[in-house]
Amino acid sequence: MSLVTLPPELRSLCRKLTSTKPEHLPNLLPFLLQDVQRCRGPLSEPLESKSSANGSEAAVLVHKLKTQVTTLLNGRSVQGRFAAVALVKAIIEAGGWQSLSESEPWVRGLLIILQKRGPIVIKELCVVTLTKIYMMIQRYQTLVRQIVTPTLPGFATACIQILKPTATSKAAKAPLSFNDTVFEAFSSLIPLFPTTLRPFAAQIRNVARPYLAPTTSDGQFVPEALQRSSRRLVVRLHMTAAKGGGSDEWAKHLTGLVKDVHNTADQVFRAVQETWESSSGYVRQAADFSLDPTGGGTSPDQLPEWTGVQAGSERIVGLLRFIGESLRCKTKTPVTIPVSSIFDLTRRISSIILRTSATEKSESTQMNAAVGREEKDELWSVFPDVQVAAMRLLSVLAQRLGRNFLPLAQETLDQILRMFDASYRLPEIRSVAFALSNVVLQLCRPSMTKINVDSLTLTIQSCCQDLLGAGGHLRVPRQQATMGLQNGSKSNNGSQNADSFLPSQSDEETLPVILEPEHKTAAEELLVTLFSNLPQQYINSSLRSRMLRTAILCRIKKAQVASVLHPARDKNGRTADAILPYLHQQFPHDEIVEILRFNLRPTGTGAVGDFMDHDDGMGIEYEASVDNPANGSTFDKPFEAAVPDAQGDTVMKNTASEAVVSGHHPVAEVQPSPFSTHQNKRVTKTTEVEAQLTSVNPLKRKTETDDIDVAVSKRVEVVAVDTTVVDHGFASVGTIIESSLGQMIKTGEDADNSDDESVHLQMELDESDDDAEEEEE
């Protein structure tokens, strides 16, 4: 029984191609391609399986379809050729080997269209179709000898001719989108057929040269996608080398790129007196200060010429990205990475420190008196882009080497901090610095010292600031009214801002901060790494409080979990209060949080001073609070709880001002614990529990007399407070302390009855004793 079926789309497809004029086929092309995909069975069936009546009819229709496509491909109608090229690609993909074995006429027809004059859009579609055919044929050596070997050189010649027409050719220059398509095609075919494409390596490199590291001196705008595709293509050209020479070609290519960066930097950085000395043997070239910075050349081995600091910085950035692309691309043979040369290059860039108000004069780089002020200002305006490119290169190197990057991790961290301290005001610098620091800190964790952790203060503060701003938790700074008082007299300056004297609502307004997705992701990942990979005992308590506040307000679950798993301990081994209640309140149904809840409950038992002392506590507070407008935060309260305000926003409320001392609990609002299953109950009364617990061994069996003595010694007083606690606030510290000391505060509908019983506990015991004495009498 034959397995060949005859889908109705096959008849419909043949009928549409026959009855529709070629000029109208592009409009029907989406439906035609859909019908081809649904005819995968008949198109991929071998001829010997079509002996049945149903299979014979399918074979006739398939032959008719291919004949109609060939007629359109060789026709004069531009619209018909466009539809035919698209149908060829769809039939090849659906038919597999059966269609590939019969594709030689189509391949030669596509090459003819590619070589003749015509619309560039059809030629671009021909490049895509031929590349797809060559890639599918690569698995079948017989078809490679029959189809690829004779036709691939013609394909490469036609593409190069379109990209770089001769002076006598009347063809117009191809658009940049076509260049991108051709470069991607060559990048896909070179690893598959390196020997066949070896004679065209020099021509391909010459065609791609203007797009590798473009500058403003070139006179054209090169899209970022075209730059990446051209770099990827040139990197893969080392595969076309003779047998055994691919690794040498790759190393030679990378060494040349590093040298080009140094040569360009000699011109661009001439306005500063560099203190860097090369460790790889490079000698700086003297610059001619009578001419503008310039570089490049016209030879095939050089990149295009450039002039000016702006163009020179663009060339450095392009070359650094080119080196990164070389490290990122896969190779067919093992290669040797010149790590020392690349690291020496980034060390040169990081050694230049811009003089700002935050840097000392002795730390900043000295300027060259022979260079004008305009060139110096232009250098400082473009230098952050060079720093970003250098850090991205270090990031690629770290990802490529993996754990082998460990010996360079500490020095890399030093380079990051130098560049970050100089240009952290720019979002681009912060984004790439966060991402690179996240990778490096995971490698440096075993060797981090107190000095290393302290050097990360600015990075940690910037990370928290960006996350709080993106989460809408930064207050608009209050405008200071300028009274214009000087020497006891009022100034008559008429340019004062009159609005500064009016009441302002800035304390209730938030500062909108918009971050790029990769920037926010890098900051969140760095915050998690700061909790999990840094020695927490080396982090300043106020800085850790800022990190905790950021993790809670921005609802970063991974950071909160990491803070719970890596608590801060002092030299005596004491830990601060855990934020597990806040974590459970935000993620009550998360599996990880549930595991932590049952295994790492926050404990509050112990002797006096069992909690760590903090300068500002672990309080959770918004930026620029009204309580302390001088420094923009209120961290002087050890315990804070958050409840929604009338507008629905989360505001912070102090629930207790002291830690537990000798078992006495401060007056605090009792809020529903996030660990309780009855979180929806509304508590209308607050209790103050004052108890003196005696030290009793829990494993010792107590007698009935001991139970009575302990019960009588407890005095429980209940004070009703007219306070209503909302259901959705964070658990107060009073609740946590009560649960940790074993004092159960019962709330609910029978609160009044339980309170009365608690108040008269000792009185009932006394009355029972009196009744017993009367019965004895």
Side-chain angles (χ1 to χ4, degrees), residues 1-5 45 49 52:
M1 179 178 179
S2 177
L3 298 178
V4 178
T5 58
E45 279 298 322
S49 64
S52 63

Side-chain angles (χ1 to χ4, degrees), residues 402-446:
R403 300 295 300 179
N404 297 324
F405 191 75
L406 181 60
L408 305 175
Q410 188 60 52
E411 187 174 354
T412 301
L413 184 61
D414 296 338
Q415 294 186 23
I416 297 171
L417 295 179
R418 285 198 299 269
M419 290 185 283
F420 185 83
D421 292 345
S423 307
Y424 70 93
R425 61 183 179 84
L426 302 176
E428 299 84 358
I429 290 287
R430 299 199 301 272
S431 176
V432 66
F434 294 160
L436 182 55
S437 299
N438 181 37
V439 176
V440 175
L441 288 178
Q442 295 180 17
L443 298 175
C444 294
R445 175 175 59 175

Side-chain angles (χ1 to χ4, degrees), residues 740-754:
S740 63
L741 293 177
Q743 301 298 321
M744 304 303 298
I745 301 175
K746 299 181 180 180
T747 60
E749 297 177 356
D750 55 347
D752 296 336
N753 298 331
S754 62

Side-chain angles (χ1 to χ4, degrees), residues 160-173:
I160 295 174
Q161 184 64 30
I162 297 174
L163 295 179
K164 192 176 181 180
T166 59
T168 58
S169 177
K170 297 181 180 180
K173 189 176 182 179

Side-chain angles (χ1 to χ4, degrees), residues 183-192 194 201 204-205 229-241 246 250 253 322 325-326 328-332:
F183 291 162
E184 291 290 351
F186 281 144
S187 297
S188 302
L189 295 177
I190 284 177
L192 303 179
I204 294 174
R205 183 180 289 104
S229 61
S230 61
R231 294 165 188 160
R232 188 161 48 248
L233 171 59
V234 174
V235 171
R236 292 185 177 181
L237 285 177
H238 77 278
M239 300 179 183
T240 61
W250 189 90
H253 158 76
F322 198 0
E325 194 66 40
S326 302
R328 190 179 293 109
C329 289
K330 297 181 179 179
T331 59
K332 297 185 68 173

Side-chain angles (χ1 to χ4, degrees), residues 432-548:
V432 66
F434 294 160
L436 182 55
S437 299
N438 181 37
V439 176
V440 175
L441 288 178
Q442 295 180 17
L443 298 175
C444 294
R445 175 175 59 175
S447 61
M448 293 294 289
T449 62
K450 183 68 167 63
I451 299 177
N452 299 138
V453 175
D454 291 341
S455 63
L456 294 169
T457 300
L458 181 59
T459 304
I460 298 175
Q461 292 176 349
S462 301
C463 177
C464 296
Q465 189 82 358
D466 287 346
L467 290 175
L468 289 174
H473 302 293
L474 285 183
R475 297 292 189 186
V476 176
R478 179 180 298 179
Q479 297 182 359
Q480 299 294 334
T482 304
M483 300 303 297
L485 297 179
Q486 185 176 3
N487 297 329
S489 62
K490 184 177 294 186
S491 174
N492 294 327
N493 186 7
S495 61
Q496 296 182 5
N497 184 9
D499 294 336
S500 61
F501 297 94
L502 300 176
S504 176
Q505 301 295 331
S506 60
D507 293 335
E508 301 178 0
E509 298 177 359
T510 58
L511 185 64
V513 178
I514 300 177
L515 299 179
E516 295 293 335
E518 58 271 12
H519 186 172
K520 185 178 179 181
T521 302
E524 291 179 352
E525 293 178 353
L526 177 60
L527 185 62
V528 177
T529 302
L530 294 174
F531 280 117
S532 59
N533 290 276
L534 287 185
Q536 299 301 303
Q537 67 272 17
Y538 295 155
I539 301 179
N540 185 272
S541 60
S542 61
L543 195 60
R544 181 177 167 88
S545 298
R546 187 180 184 87
M547 294 161 53
L548 289 173

Side-chain angles (χ1 to χ4, degrees), residues 69-120:
V69 172
T70 304
T71 302
L72 292 173
L73 191 64
N74 299 326
R76 296 183 177 181
S77 174
V78 176
Q79 295 85 352
R81 290 200 301 269
F82 179 83
V85 175
L87 288 172
V88 166
K89 182 176 181 296
I91 293 174
I92 291 295
E93 291 176 345
W97 182 88
Q98 186 63 34
S99 298
L100 286 173
S101 62
E102 303 172 358
S103 64
E104 183 177 0
W106 286 347
V107 172
R108 297 190 181 278
L110 293 172
L111 287 177
I112 294 175
I113 296 176
L114 195 60
Q115 295 170 356
K116 291 184 177 181
R117 297 181 60 183
I120 196 67

Side-chain angles (χ1 to χ4, degrees), residues 575-586:
T575 61
D577 306 288
I579 64 169
L580 188 56
Y582 299 93
L583 179 61
H584 185 267
Q585 184 74 21
Q586 293 180 355

